[in-house]
Amino acid sequence: MSATTVESFSEIEEKFFAYIQDIVYCTMITVDRKSRPRARVLLPVWEMVDGKPVGWLAAYKTPVKVAHLAHNPHTTYSYWNPRQNAVFIDSVSTWATDPESRQHAWDLYREGSPAGVGYDPIGFWRGGLEDPGYHVLRIDPWRVQVLRGSDLKSRIWTDGDRR
């Protein structure tokens, strides 16, 4: 079955958030200097900014993640459930070091964004926002694909500004 391209993210926004709320965890994929992929399971939070999705990932700055993103900030986030519903997010992920972004991500995790997705970060970073292990990635998607498992209907949004 072929995919349908949508003009506006609003055309897939409802399914995007519904699938993320249902699935919660995703696989983040980066590549190393030899173009070899590395996957890890994580839990980003999401919001809408100016009609486009923006993700935030509270993360430890592991040597592998730091090296991969320094070499190539292009990342893929993949959500999947046994009903075959899926979301694939191709993006650019960058470390957000400013206090406002760090606070914003922290708050989104505590509130749940979308509802039901998130956690209280104090469970991982006991020192709160000042914990030296607390870091934040900002996720700026340039392509999002939403796939419905019941009939494999796929819709794709691309952001012409970020490609």
Side-chain angles (χ1 to χ4, degrees):
M1 172 156 287
S2 64
T4 301
T5 301
V6 299
E7 294 296 317
S8 168
F9 188 79
S10 65
E11 296 176 60
I12 64 170
E13 181 178 350
E14 182 179 333
K15 285 292 183 200
F16 174 83
F17 282 110
Y19 289 174
I20 287 172
Q21 282 177 299
D22 178 50
I23 300 165
V24 181
Y25 287 90
C26 72
T27 302
M28 174 193 188
I29 301 157
T30 59
V31 295
D32 68 11
R33 290 189 180 276
K34 295 182 180 179
S35 299
R36 297 174 298 196
R38 170 73 63 95
R40 74 273 289 152
V41 176
L42 300 167
L43 194 162
V45 291
W46 296 90
E47 66 178 335
M48 294 297 295
V49 176
D50 298 327
K52 299 174 185 179
V54 173
W56 299 93
L57 179 63
Y60 294 101
K61 271 190 165 181
T62 64
V64 169
K65 199 180 301 143
V66 169
H68 286 200
L69 293 173
H71 174 68
N72 185 348
H74 288 89
T75 50
T76 295
Y77 297 83
S78 175
Y79 292 84
W80 173 86
N81 72 18
R83 291 181 303 285
Q84 306 306 324
N85 295 330
V87 178
F88 306 103
I89 303 160
D90 295 327
S91 60
V92 173
S93 294
T94 53
W95 295 107
T97 58
D98 61 285
E100 296 81 14
S101 293
R102 290 167 51 84
Q103 178 71 59
H104 183 66
W106 187 276
D107 293 343
L108 288 176
Y109 272 95
R110 292 191 68 203
E111 295 163 9
S113 186
V117 177
Y119 53 84
D120 189 346
I122 201 75
F124 293 93
W125 296 282
R126 299 265 182 224
L129 291 168
E130 302 307 316
D131 192 302
Y134 174 66
H135 301 280
V136 174
L137 282 171
R138 179 183 166 120
I139 307 164
D140 288 300
W142 57 269
R143 180 184 183 276
V144 175
Q145 180 178 5
V146 176
L147 176 71
R148 185 172 61 200
S150 61
D151 59 6
L152 300 182
K153 182 177 180 181
S154 178
R155 295 185 294 164
I156 298 171
W157 167 82
T158 56
D159 183 356
D161 296 338
R162 295 182 183 155
R163 283 190 283 195

